[in-house]
Each structure stands twice: as structure tokens, then as C-alpha cells.
Amino acid sequence: EIDKSINSLSIKNNHLVDIKLINKEYVIFVIHHLIIDGISWSILLDNLAALYNKEEVTRPYPYASFIKEVITL
């Protein structure tokens, strides 16, 4: 299923992000490198972990509301 997500990314079809919930246990983020870089991944994952652990996000980012929605899946 992860390979399918990776292979589904397409600039031609404007499909640059794929998020899957696997076995109701894991959230898989597949994001094209045009959308996010290594530093941004670190920030995104740190904030996602903080929200998952019900901690305060120290620096709010524009995608904070998106992360909160993903946590509620």
C-alpha cells in the first residue's frame, strides 16, 4: 500500500500529497519533494508528535489545523 501511495504522486495530475491510515494504527505521509523539504519535514513531524501527545505546539505554523484534523482520524 505504501508503494502504491508513492507511485500515485503525479505532477501532471496535481497529486502531490497522499496520506493514508494503515491498520488504524499508522499514518503514512507521502509528499512530493516539490511540496516539502528536509527541514520542513522535521518541523512537521515535531509538531505532529506534540499534538499527538497533547502537548502545546511551541511555534504555530499555517498547517497546525491540518495536523489537528489528521490526529482526529
Side-chain angles (χ1 to χ4, degrees):
E1 192 163 339
I2 296 170
D3 288 337
K4 185 178 178 182
S5 289
I6 293 170
N7 293 327
S8 73
L9 298 183
S10 170
I11 295 173
K12 290 180 185 178
N13 297 327
N14 294 325
H15 187 140
L16 301 176
V17 176
D18 196 34
I19 301 172
K20 297 254 191 263
L21 180 63
I22 298 180
N23 298 330
K24 296 183 180 180
E25 190 173 351
Y26 301 101
V27 178
I28 304 297
F29 292 85
V30 180
I31 304 176
H32 196 282
H33 69 93
L34 290 175
I35 302 297
I36 195 165
D37 63 6
I39 294 170
S40 299
W41 264 117
S42 175
I43 294 168
L44 175 66
L45 294 175
D46 286 348
N47 285 343
L48 184 59
L51 289 169
Y52 180 80
N53 293 317
K54 298 180 179 165
E55 299 170 357
E56 194 71 30
V57 175
T58 55
R59 295 183 300 173
Y61 291 95
Y63 56 78
S65 61
F66 169 74
I67 293 171
K68 288 179 184 177
E69 288 181 34
V70 170
I71 292 296
T72 61
L73 290 178

